[in-house]
Amino acid sequence: MDSSIVSEELHHAAHGHIHDEEGNKMFGFIVFLISETFIFLSFFAGYTIYKTTAIDWLPPGVSGLEIKEPAINTVVLVSSSFVIYLAERALQRHDLTKFRLFLMLSIAMGTYFLVGQAIEWSHLSFGFTTGVFGGMFYLLTGFHGLHVFTGILLQLIVFGRSFIPGNYDSGHFGVNATSLFWHFVDVIWIVLFILIYLWQ
């Protein structure tokens, strides 16, 4: 048999194996995100039940939450989903310069959101132990903030790995999974923003 034919068949077999492996990894990651979704859904359900049944929902002296700054943070975080999508597209075109640029912009936007949330927390007149509302507020926003922090770390990792020569030649699972996680974090925050800030 011609050696060139054998070489080509081995190349296709290896290429197919890589795609199968990436597909399996992505399936496992999607299952993980589904499990995370159910955790958040249970929190959302608990928040809704407590809010609709509690007689004194807000802590004493608290009439509601300030919405302007959280709304700005929301726009920044949700916009970062589009930015990380642009980073994915740049990587598909093997444009590492734009990939790194968009990724760093997404990281900066996520960091802006976390800093904004920390500033908001520092100005609140209630704490984690201030009634059911206080506990639910800090639990929901804090748990989500932990996911934002995790997403930033993941983006920093894939950013760093872009400097390894040929690292993304065989597949983009890490980048695709990180991007999917970031979209998940943004969607969860939209629901949280509606529940906590708009539904007062």
Side-chain angles (χ1 to χ4, degrees):
M1 183 179 290
D2 192 333
S3 61
S4 62
I5 297 177
V6 174
S7 177
E8 186 177 350
E9 288 179 348
L10 289 174
H11 172 75
H12 283 301
H15 192 66
H17 175 71
I18 290 171
H19 276 286
D20 288 343
E21 186 177 345
E22 284 209 351
N24 292 336
K25 287 180 180 179
M26 185 57 72
F27 175 76
F29 189 74
I30 290 174
V31 171
F32 162 73
L33 289 184
I34 291 174
S35 68
E36 289 287 291
T37 300
F38 280 109
I39 293 174
F40 274 106
L41 286 176
S42 66
F43 286 158
F44 297 159
Y47 182 90
T48 302
I49 291 171
Y50 278 120
K51 180 175 174 58
T52 54
T53 57
I55 298 175
D56 296 317
W57 173 240
L58 294 174
V62 177
S63 58
L65 295 169
E66 195 274 330
I67 195 172
K68 180 181 177 181
E69 293 302 323
I72 294 174
N73 290 341
T74 299
V75 171
V76 171
L77 185 65
V78 173
S79 298
S80 68
S81 262
F82 178 68
V83 174
I84 200 171
Y85 167 75
L86 293 178
E88 274 190 292
R89 292 293 302 273
L91 184 61
Q92 290 170 2
R93 296 192 301 268
H94 306 289
D95 189 341
L96 287 178
T97 300
K98 286 187 178 179
F99 169 70
R100 292 167 185 152
L101 177 65
F102 286 128
L103 203 58
M104 286 305 296
L105 180 57
S106 176
I107 291 170
M109 295 169 83
T111 303
Y112 178 93
F113 175 84
L114 283 184
V115 171
Q117 189 172 66
I119 293 174
E120 179 192 10
W121 280 14
S122 67
H123 289 88
L124 292 174
S125 59
F126 59 91
F128 183 76
T129 58
T130 310
V132 177
F133 174 78
M136 292 295 291
F137 173 85
Y138 283 100
L139 174 64
L140 287 169
T141 57
F143 191 55
H144 175 267
L146 178 62
H147 282 70
V148 174
F149 180 73
T150 301
I152 291 173
L153 288 181
L154 291 174
Q155 290 181 70
L156 285 171
I157 291 172
V158 298
F159 176 82
R161 290 179 66 85
S162 71
F163 291 95
I164 302 174
N167 180 71
Y168 293 123
D169 290 348
S170 59
H172 304 155
F173 166 74
V175 175
N176 295 336
T178 297
S179 179
L180 184 60
F181 182 82
W182 198 245
H183 296 320
F184 165 80
V185 166
D186 288 355
V187 170
I188 291 296
W189 178 252
I190 291 173
V191 178
L192 279 178
F193 182 74
I194 293 172
L195 280 178
I196 296 176
Y197 294 95
L198 296 184
W199 185 31
Q200 294 192 50

